Structures are given as structure tokens and as C-alpha cells.
Amino acid sequence: MTMSNSKLFMRRIRLSISHKEAGILVLKSVNEEYKLQVTANPFQIELQSTDGIVLSMNSNGLLYFEHLQPPPSDSKTTAENKEEAASDSSKETQEDLGLWQEKFGSFLDIKAHGPSSVGMDFSLHGFEHVYGIPQHTETLLLKNTSDGDAYRLYNLDIFGHKIHDKIGIYGSVPFLLAHKPNRTSGIFWLNSSETLVDISTKAVAEHVPSRSTAETAKQRVLPRTDVRWMSESGIIDAFLLMGPTAFDVFKQFAELTGTQALPPLFSLGYHQCRWNYEDEQDVKAVDAGFDEHDIPYDVIWLDIEHTDGKRYFTWDKKKFQNPKRMQELLRKKKRKLVVIVDPHIKVDPTYTLYSQGKDKGYFVKDRNGQDFEGICWPGSSCYLDFTNPEVRKWYADQFAFKTYKGSTNILFVWNDMNEPSVFRGAELTMQKDAVHYSSWEHREVHNLYGFYQQMATADGLIKRSLGKERPFVLTRSFFAGSQKYGAVWTGDNTAEWEYLKISIPMLLTISIAGISFCGADVGGFIGDPEPELLVRWYQAGAYQPFFRGHSNMESKRREPWLFGEKNTQIIREAIRERYVLLPYLYTLFYRAHTAAEPVMRPLWIEFPGKIDTFGVENEYMLGNALLVHPVTEREVRTVSVLLPGSEEIWYDFRKFKQVEAAGTLKIPVTLENIPVFQRGGTVIPLKTRAGKSTEWMIDISYELHVAPDTEGYAKGELYLDDGHSFQYLHEKQFLHQKFTFHKQVLSSSCTDEKGQYLPTCIVERVIILGLGQQPMSVATCLKDGKEKEVVFTYDTKTSVLTLEKLALNVGADWEIHIK
């Protein structure tokens, strides 16, 4: 029997019964801001605010759920059966319709419980802009599906996925956001089976609620977006997230699925990957190449060819004879290694992982109770059943240093092919009638498979350090909540300009669905990018959360120094910009971890009342302070950039000059960089220079970029900890400082007294933008009241004040007075 469940998430508002009669229940909040009406027949739920109806369920009467049932041949002949048969519901007719079995080429899907789909419609009143439900190679703003295909949520391995296609690809998050100028709402449809989402926006006449009995009820024409969710099986478990702001919705969603894990600092650096680095000498040469060309990087990656015949947790004995020695070389350089560990296990009785998994019954079964076998990289493979907690625990134990021979504590993990990918399978994935732990059919848990592998992997990396060190795990397949276990990327993209362009809305969509740690393969995985495209992709990736260069084994080598000195210089500068920006980026991840705020966010989240931002997908905000506009077309000399808000001030992030006016502006560009602007009212912490890797930069001093708003006010923050352990959580080993600029005084103060982290690093430089006139003097004032004159320079052309050689401890309270 299928069941249904729905929940309402608002700011913590208590609802009480205000009216009750046969078939109708009305609940109101204490301040009467919200009213919830539940009608029994026909079943409907309607949520109203003081401004009118916000959201209703089943307003189009499309609620349905199909009971689990035995096959017709197992049923006893009854009068009811005969009546069903008379109305064309015979076994043969049902089979013809694919209700009990369905063919996909040579594959037969046996539906043990018959048709078991569930569905529901939701109406969003006054909304015409909806977002979310990743993952698709599609626009940020979800499209009307009335005349075409519905959005599909079904995790699939699609090599070189097409652009502007609503087919599901590697990940699924059944979470949709709706936005209008005065409200953001969300719907979370918690179902892991194949799901279709139909979207229809239209204008409808609605009643305006009367504010007094004397007023006559009025009508107005408003947009309404109807969203219909249809899942192949499972239960109806729907959550209504009422905001009212986007940030409220993000927090409400995080209550259900968790916040982004705080990543180790190294993982925010640059990652160098390809399929495949050949052997230890190749790794050594690539590592040396970064130093030779003075380009920072943190992690080198090994794809499947590093293993012994695609047996995970092993090494090719000829190519990687001494993996520990290789890792020690990287450790001395203060760098890390990531290796691939896929979910399919080679069928080989001499392979310990296979033999143990088989003996323990840890593989997914076929419908006849035998281990499911499919073809993947090693050939014939079995698939670990990660839905089983016992399997996850056993799998986590495989990462122990004594078990995973040749691994060290600088080795981290990449889970790929975990949709799961099954070559020669229906749609290149596992058959839906395969059977998991507790007799779950694969059709019901399909979209959760990769989620559970990443969970087990992250747990394994934590366990091997006895709970002390943060893991880093990248996964290709994901679901709601994957943010708790690491990072995701957009999958097998192509080295073409259109894929660079579409990567921005794809990443924004993943970000607002709770997964902040996301990125796209820089340069495109498939094919060979022209040098200009590669340069532009590096410039974009440097200002996105996960920053990895990656390429296919058939692509030409593309280390950053292989495209001529000019391009090497530009790529070097883009990567260095990333490293200088790390204090700000790490602080944004702290906000994502503690407050569920997306690191990379669409403009409308920061400017919710500006309708001209609602469909913008070629630029984005990095946090609340930086607006980034990647260049995504060949040989352009100008780009149109929207700087939102007539009341806002914007500054060029590199030249520090105030932009003359907000609005849509033609900005000249060269190949050397992309447009980045700092928003007035913000303070951004940076490092004064880049180092060879993040670990080399611990003692490099800080600088602050202060960008006042129209009132001469600015604020920002800096979060610091050791960058790798859980000490910030268990021992309060963290520092959280806030910076405020007001009335010509810049102050630094502790925002969380619980923090015990005591850095020795200093703030060396402060750059204050848009200062109207040259000051007479500048002095620092410490807690003890001592003042010290500061050497400064003032640029009359740009109105920029630069304070040098400050030597102020980043963790101390101090003030800078400008007179």
C-alpha cells in the first residue's frame, strides 16, 4: 500500500485550529500571517498569507497513487476480478500497456508489484519564475513543459550530454524553488525513483482578499505556475518550504537534508586531472611542471588506469611500483593525491574485494536472487549494495591504511560511474527489477545509489583518521543531501564554447539545490579545446566552487603550460587569483556549512526585488560581495554586464575604480581577464600573494578590500581554522572575525567568543575604495588604546586609499581611524 505524507516548513510559526467542520479544517498562525485550509473532498491544501494564496496542493485534482498488488495470475477469481476483466483490465491488456512487464530492447523489466506510480500537482500562485530540480544541461530558469518533454530526474551515465535537454543526467535533486519579488517558496518531493516534473505557467484570475467587511471582493489577473510531480514508485512525501526569503528556504531545506560539509582547505585549490596520468614518472613530471612554470596547484588525480586491471583499491604493479614513495614526494611539496574508486567490482575470485563481497552477500541481486552482473570498465562486474548499512560499514573499512595497501593520509577519493553505470544495460544503467537490501527494487532507490556510495566513502576517510580529519570525496551521481559528503561536478562535458556557457546555469542550479561544492571540468572533458576556450574556462573556473582541469584519454595533453607562453601567463594569473581569493572563498564555505547559504548564487537571490535579474544566467554572485561575468564566446571585445540596483555602488575588482552607474553596461574585455566587480557595502579578505599550494600559504599575510556603499558603510567577515581537521567542531579551534567600516573607521572584532584558534598571521594591507577625499592622517588603535601612525597612499584618479605595512594580527581586535 502506498502512503502519503506532506509537511509545511516556515519560520518557526505555530499553527492552531481556527475553524473545523465536516470535511474542512482551517489553521491559522498566532499573528494571522498565515492560514492553512485542508479540504477532504476533493482533497486540497491551500496556504494563504495576508497577500493572498501562496501555494495549493491538488488544485487541479491530479493526486494519484497506485497500490502495490500481486500479479493477476496470483489473484483469486472474484466478482470484482470479473468486473475488472470486463472493463479491459485483463492480464494480457495490462501487459500490453507495460503495467506488469516492460521491454527495453533485449531487456525485460518485470514489475513484481505491478504499476505503483504516485503523483501530485502543486500550484504556485503569483509565481512565474521557477528554478532547481537538477541535474539537466538546461537554462537556470525552468521552462514551460506544456508543449514538450517533462523534466526527468533519473541518474544516467550520458557521455557528452546534449545541451538544452530535459533528460536526466548524473544527479537528481527533486527540489524546486519559486520566486517573485516579495517571496520565495520551495517544494521538496522526496522520492528516489524515476520522476517526471511538468511545469505550466499561465495567467489566472484570482480573488483579492478583502481587508474589511465593507470592501467588495476584487479580482486580479496573476501568473500561476502549476508543477506536477510524477514518480514511478514509492510514497508521496512532500515538503512545502515557505520562506519567505530565499535564504529562509535554503535553511529550511537544510533542516531536511543537511548543510554543505566544510571542505578541507586544499580541496578549494586547483586540481589537475586527466584520464590518465600514466605512471609514477608522469605524476612526478607534471608536479614538477607546475613548479617550473610557477603555477599553484594542490591536487593531482589518477583515473582508472592506475589500478591493477580496474580492480579498485589496488595499484598497477608496473606503472605504480611504489605508490607510497610517490605520495611522499607530493607530501613534501605540500600537495595531495586523489584516486578513482568506482562502485562496480570485477568478477574475479582472486580479487579480495570481490570474493569477500560475494561471500558476505553484499552485491545487488537480480530478480532471481543471484548476484546482478553487468559490464563496466573491468568487464563482467558486480555492484555493491550501498543501500545496506552493513555494506557501507564494510566498504568504509576498505579505506583503512592496513587494508588499502599503498595509500597514505594524503590520498583522497573520486567516486565515478555511480549512477550506477552498466554498459549494455537499459539506458546504460542497472535494471529496475534488480533487488537491494530489505527487498527494495532498484526502481525505488535508483537515484540514491551514488549518494550512498559517497556516504560510505566519506565515512571511510574519516574512520581511517580515527575521526580526526575531514574527508574529500568527489561524486558524479548525487541526490538531495549529497552536500554532507563532499563535492559534485557536471560530468562528461565537451570542449566547446556552448558547454562553457551552459556550465554556469548548471552550477547555479546545483548550488541552489543545496550542493555548494560543485564545478565543471575546465577545458571540457571530451575533445581538444582551442587555446582561447581553455583560457576562458580557467578564468571562469577560478571563480567557481570546485576548480579542476580534466580531460579524456583521447584528448591531447593540456597541462596549463602547453599552449604557448602568452596563454601560460594568462592561465597562471587566473589560478593565482583563485589562491589569493581563498580566504573569502573559505569563509563562504563556512557560511554554507553553518547557514546553508550557497557559495555561488544567481543574481536574484541577492537582489530579490529586481525583476531584471530573475532570468540572468551568464553571470552570478560569488557570495554577497563579488559579481562574476565569465566570457563564454570566441573573440569578443565587449560583454554586456548587468550590475543590479540603481541604489547600489559597484567597483572594478582589479582596478578598484568605481563604476559610474549600475544597470546593463558594455564592458570592454581582453583575453587577459574576465569582468569581476565588488559590491558596495562589502569587505573582502584576501591573501597578499599566492603560494605553491594552499599549505604553503598559511603564513602569507592578508589584505582587506573595503568597498563602501552609498552611506559610506561596509562589512565583511573572515573564518579561519586549521583547514583540515574537525578541531573546529570538537575543540572550538576556529577564528571568526568581522570587519566593519563606518564613519571613516575600519574595525576588526571577534564575532564568536567560543573560537579558540590563535593565528600568528597578520593583516598587512588595507585598500579602501571610493574614498571621496584624501585623508590628513591614518592611525591604528589596538585594544590597549595605543595609536600608531600608518603610511598611506591616495590615488586621486580612482579615489583609492592604500594602507601598507600594518602588521595587525588577523585574530586581534583593532581599529583604523582615517582623519
Side-chain angles (χ1 to χ4, degrees), residues 462-622:
I462 293 170
K463 285 172 76 173
R464 76 177 185 185
S465 72
L466 305 178
K468 294 178 182 178
E469 298 295 313
R470 288 177 240 169
F472 170 73
V473 185
L474 179 75
T475 182
R476 190 169 72 176
S477 178
F478 57 87
F479 191 68
S482 289
Q483 63 269 13
K484 292 180 291 187
Y485 307 112
V488 309
W489 90 106
T490 60
D492 296 345
N493 57 2
T494 300
E496 296 172 7
W497 287 95
E498 287 301 307
Y499 283 84
L500 168 58
K501 180 181 283 188
I502 201 70
S503 69
I504 300 169
M506 288 180 74
L507 294 176
L508 289 172
T509 300
I510 293 169
S511 296
I512 62 177
I515 306 174
S516 270
F517 204 1
C518 59
D521 284 342
V522 169
F525 176 67
I526 302 164
D528 299 306
E530 59 186 86
E532 184 186 1
L533 172 59
L534 184 64
V535 164
R536 291 304 194 196
W537 217 318
Y538 268 103
Q539 292 169 337
Y543 284 88
Q544 291 167 354
F546 177 58
F547 187 25
R548 179 179 77 156
H550 186 34
S551 56
N552 190 6
M553 67 189 318
E554 294 168 5
S555 302
K556 296 175 184 175
R557 295 289 287 246
R558 63 166 90 136
E559 285 74 43
W561 52 86
L562 296 179
F563 296 83
E565 182 50 42
K566 181 184 177 185
N567 292 318
T568 300
Q569 172 58 32
I570 298 171
I571 293 171
R572 178 190 296 120
E573 191 53 39
I575 296 175
R576 282 179 176 174
E577 280 192 2
R578 165 61 163 233
Y579 277 79
V580 166
L581 194 65
L582 282 174
Y584 177 63
L585 193 59
Y586 194 58
T587 302
L588 293 181
F589 269 93
Y590 168 76
R591 299 292 306 176
H593 179 53
T594 56
E597 297 173 5
V599 170
M600 180 180 176
R601 54 191 79 156
L603 296 190
W604 65 263
I605 289 175
E606 285 297 323
F607 305 95
K610 307 296 182 184
I611 294 175
D612 56 352
T613 68
F614 290 7
V616 174
E617 61 175 30
N618 59 352
E619 60 188 56
Y620 53 90
M621 297 296 295
L622 192 61

Side-chain angles (χ1 to χ4, degrees), residues 621-695:
M621 297 296 295
L622 192 61
N624 73 326
L626 288 181
L627 184 148
V628 183
H629 187 107
V631 176
T632 58
E633 294 179 350
R634 181 188 286 115
E635 296 178 356
V636 296
R637 306 212 172 168
T638 62
V639 291
S640 292
V641 179
L642 173 62
L643 298 177
S646 55
E647 71 284 1
E648 298 281 344
I649 294 180
W650 295 93
Y651 302 86
D652 186 300
F653 184 55
R654 299 182 190 87
K655 296 178 182 176
F656 305 139
K657 191 172 182 179
Q658 183 177 328
V659 180
E660 292 183 6
T664 301
L665 307 176
K666 290 281 186 185
I667 304 294
V669 294
T670 65
L671 188 60
E672 276 65 31
N673 53 52
I674 59 173
V676 181
F677 299 91
Q678 184 172 353
R679 183 183 183 184
T682 63
V683 178
I684 294 179
L686 306 108
K687 288 285 188 173
T688 52
R689 58 183 172 85
K692 293 180 180 181
S693 71
T694 53
E695 211 174 312

Side-chain angles (χ1 to χ4, degrees), residues 783-799:
K783 223 174 184 182
D784 58 11
K786 291 181 180 178
E787 288 198 6
K788 181 182 178 183
E789 290 292 318
V790 174
V791 176
F792 66 88
T793 56
Y794 181 78
D795 188 325
T796 54
K797 290 183 179 178
T798 59
S799 300

Side-chain angles (χ1 to χ4, degrees), residues 172-175 188-190 253 256-258 447-448 451 478-485 513 515:
S172 296
V173 183
F175 175 50
F188 178 33
W189 177 265
L190 182 50
F253 187 57
L256 302 171
T257 65
N447 289 343
L448 275 169
F451 168 92
F478 57 87
F479 191 68
S482 289
Q483 63 269 13
K484 292 180 291 187
Y485 307 112
I515 306 174

Side-chain angles (χ1 to χ4, degrees), residues 580 651-657 678 682-688 702-708 714 741 746 763-771 791-795 798-806 814 816 818:
V580 166
Y651 302 86
D652 186 300
F653 184 55
R654 299 182 190 87
K655 296 178 182 176
F656 305 139
K657 191 172 182 179
Q678 184 172 353
T682 63
V683 178
I684 294 179
L686 306 108
K687 288 285 188 173
T688 52
Y702 292 86
E703 68 178 52
L704 303 178
H705 289 194
V706 181
F741 183 69
L746 176 65
V763 175
E764 180 181 314
R765 184 185 303 128
V766 170
I767 300 173
I768 301 175
L769 317 182
L771 202 66
V791 176
F792 66 88
T793 56
Y794 181 78
D795 188 325
T798 59
S799 300
V800 172
L801 176 67
T802 303
L803 314 178
E804 302 270 11
K805 299 179 181 177
L806 293 170
W814 44 258
I816 298 175
I818 301 167

Side-chain angles (χ1 to χ4, degrees), residues 231-269:
S231 293
E232 182 184 0
S233 63
I235 66 171
I236 294 176
D237 198 1
F239 298 81
L240 312 179
L241 314 181
M242 301 315 301
T245 72
F247 291 106
D248 291 328
V249 171
F250 297 143
K251 288 174 185 173
Q252 291 156 4
F253 187 57
E255 286 185 39
L256 302 171
T257 65
T259 61
Q260 177 67 57
L262 185 63
L265 181 60
F266 80 82
S267 65
L268 300 186

